[in-house]
Amino acid sequence: MAAAVQSVLLVGTAAWLFYNTWLAVAALLPVGIWYWHEWREECCKRKEQLFREQFQNGIQILSSLLKAGYSVENAIRETEKDLRPLYREGSRIRTEFERMVRELDMNLTAEQVLTSFSKRVNQEDVNNFVTVFAAAKRTGGDSISILKETVRIIGGKIETEREIQTVLAAKRLEFHVMCVIPLGMIGYMRMAFPEFLNVLYGNIPGVLLMTGCMVVYLFAYRLGNRIIKIEV
């Protein structure tokens, strides 16, 4: 709903600024749909990053419990309890661990439970953790040391991404400000000096020129958005 409202506002503003007619809204619907997809993708990435941080805390607790001598099944149960004061009810990590506990109560093995968890989440760090756990359990190696090292590697990767995002935070703000400035300038000119822009509305050359400006603006937005997205 939030994305839909923002898309409608964006399309309406663009129609008013670039074409001075609400008839342009129909022609600009693809722009609104594109923005909606971009917004949804960004929202999903934020939620994914949040879950990865939650998962990092979860496996750190799980690893410490295994090191203290808990079996894998009991460690999962205790991890679910330890996550309760850290995250609100209904958070993704708590929901997943609560489901794993229910599956353990149904006499599923720890490997089956974690494999099911990995398939549901379908996230790289989770898949790597479960794969390493399953391999260590089958080979009968030092599973605690292997899991501890895996947790350290995953945690280091997440911390690196967090540091990159912190460094890029200022640049991301600058990018958003720069995206607003061209629209703000056109809006200011429309309200303060409407006669300067009237020649661009209601005629084919003006429509073509404003369309070209919009295409350049959208290309610059797309390019800048890709530049500030760095993945590890």
Side-chain angles (χ1 to χ4, degrees), residues 8-178:
V8 170
L9 292 176
L10 175 65
V11 169
T13 302
W16 179 71
L17 289 177
F18 288 89
Y19 301 105
N20 194 34
T21 174
W22 297 112
L23 297 176
V25 170
L28 293 176
L29 280 179
V31 176
I33 295 173
W34 169 75
Y35 175 80
W36 182 79
H37 283 290
E38 287 284 315
W39 189 94
R40 186 177 63 172
E41 181 181 348
E42 184 65 26
C43 183
C44 289
K45 287 184 177 180
R46 287 197 300 268
K47 290 184 177 181
E48 191 70 21
Q49 182 62 30
L50 176 61
F51 174 73
R52 293 179 64 198
E53 295 175 1
Q54 295 174 349
F55 176 69
Q56 178 189 9
N57 292 334
I59 60 175
Q60 285 176 343
I61 296 173
L62 182 66
S63 177
S64 64
L65 290 170
L66 291 173
K67 189 175 181 180
Y70 283 80
S71 66
V72 178
E73 291 78 5
N74 289 332
I76 292 175
R77 288 188 171 92
E78 291 299 319
T79 300
E80 188 273 327
K81 294 178 182 177
D82 291 342
L83 289 173
R84 292 176 187 176
L86 298 178
Y87 301 104
R88 61 178 177 80
E89 184 177 0
S91 60
R92 190 176 178 188
I93 191 66
R94 281 190 57 182
T95 299
E96 291 296 342
F97 268 88
E98 288 168 0
R99 180 164 179 173
M100 284 192 282
V101 170
R102 289 196 299 270
E103 291 176 346
L104 289 173
D105 293 337
M106 296 169 62
N107 294 325
L108 295 179
T109 65
E111 185 174 350
Q112 290 174 323
V113 168
L114 289 174
T115 301
S116 176
F117 167 56
S118 175
K119 291 179 179 179
R120 286 195 307 272
V121 174
N122 192 26
Q123 202 274 331
E124 182 181 1
D125 294 332
V126 178
N127 294 337
N128 292 339
F129 175 78
V130 174
T131 300
V132 171
F133 168 80
K137 195 170 182 63
R138 291 195 201 101
T139 58
D142 188 357
S143 58
I144 294 178
S145 299
I146 295 173
L147 290 177
K148 184 177 180 181
E149 180 65 14
T150 305
V151 170
R152 186 189 67 80
I153 294 173
I154 293 175
K157 179 182 176 181
I158 295 175
E159 287 298 328
T160 301
E161 289 185 345
R162 187 180 298 162
E163 291 175 3
I164 291 175
Q165 296 305 319
T166 301
V167 172
L168 289 176
K171 297 299 180 182
R172 189 176 293 107
L173 178 61
E174 292 177 6
F175 169 71
H176 291 153
V177 172
M178 290 173 64

